[in-house]
Amino acid sequence: MPRRPWVVGVSGASGTPYAASVVRGLLAAGEAVDLIVSRASRLTLLDETGISFRDAHWRADLREWLARGADGKPGTFGVTDAGLDLVRYWPAGDLAAGPSSGSYPVKGMLIVPASTACVAGVALGLSKDLLQRVASVTLKERRRLVVAVRETPLNGQTLRHLVTLDEAGAVVVPASPAFYAGATHIQDLVDFVAGRVLDAADVPHRLYRRWEGELGSGSKEAG
């Protein structure tokens, strides 16, 4: 069957572990991924993980990133060559990249994390880099766009931009972890948000324990 990936765009907001968890979830589900890492997000990634993400060595850098836990511990997750083979990387400055065109077949786009600058750029249709351009294409083609905004507090301008995205058909997923799933580790909180992003994309996963209507079940598991 022809390849139809999910585009994962990583903007410069804090929260690179969310992006890693989403990509791991997609690969675990057997989904192909087209990855766009913005210039600003490279600085955040370096600050949060110590990893320098380089265009010429993206596969090795992605392997290291995906293997790292949310607590910064390297080698937490196994990353296989077969999994990495499902990923295609596009530099953020390449406005002629495949996903920049509506004729390029994709399932949709997940922006995680989404900075307020990214939210504004997509809402206003600026297309200043490949990430914003692909988001605009996703909306015009009526494909699924999930925006995991990571900022606090939110001012009126950003809230208006988020309403604009919602009205255009995007799904806005605030990076707000819940605690009913019995989280005992920072990775559990990260995986909850990543799981909700994948839920919005209808991608099956097992990243968090779902609510089943039993009060106290999360604390029982934690105990």
Side-chain angles (χ1 to χ4, degrees):
M1 295 182 63
R3 183 178 184 274
R4 287 190 67 224
W6 284 97
V7 179
V8 176
V10 187
S11 80
S14 176
T16 55
Y18 293 131
S21 183
V22 165
V23 172
R24 284 193 300 264
L26 288 169
L27 299 183
E31 298 283 351
V33 174
D34 275 23
L35 180 65
I36 304 170
V37 180
S38 76
R39 290 187 175 92
S41 69
R42 296 176 191 226
L43 298 177
T44 308
L45 182 63
L46 180 63
D47 184 56
E48 294 183 343
T49 69
I51 296 171
S52 297
F53 198 90
R54 303 159 295 176
D55 288 346
H57 303 282
W58 70 266
R59 188 179 174 101
D61 296 337
L62 179 62
R63 181 191 294 273
E64 183 181 0
W65 181 16
L66 296 183
R68 191 174 296 260
D71 59 0
K73 183 179 179 181
T76 299
F77 298 97
V79 182
T80 66
D81 287 335
L84 291 176
D85 287 344
L86 293 173
V87 181
R88 181 178 294 173
Y89 171 71
W90 301 97
D94 185 5
L95 292 177
S100 68
S101 171
S103 65
Y104 183 86
V106 302
K107 293 183 176 180
M109 183 179 191
L110 316 175
I111 305 178
V112 52
S115 66
T116 55
C118 174
V119 167
V122 176
L124 297 173
L126 298 182
S127 295
K128 72 167 189 174
D129 61 8
L130 180 62
L131 193 159
Q132 292 185 15
R133 168 60 185 169
V134 177
S136 295
V137 169
T138 302
L139 289 175
K140 81 178 181 68
E141 296 294 329
R142 302 297 191 266
R143 296 167 180 160
R144 186 72 57 89
L145 175 64
V146 182
V147 180
V149 61
R150 215 306 308 163
E151 184 60 86
T152 189
L154 296 173
N155 63 25
Q157 187 176 45
T158 298
L159 290 170
R160 285 188 288 271
H161 289 152
L162 291 172
V163 170
T164 297
L165 291 180
D166 176 78
E167 292 174 342
V171 179
V172 177
V173 180
S176 302
F179 296 85
Y180 62 77
T184 60
H185 190 276
I186 185 176
Q187 189 67 55
D188 299 326
L189 299 176
V190 167
D191 286 347
F192 179 88
V193 172
R196 295 298 287 152
V197 170
L198 294 178
D199 287 345
D202 292 327
V203 174
H205 66 86
R206 300 182 64 182
L207 287 176
Y208 68 89
R209 185 187 66 81
R210 297 183 182 278
W211 174 249
E212 296 179 349
E214 182 183 354
L215 290 175
S217 57
S219 60
K220 289 177 184 178
E221 289 193 11

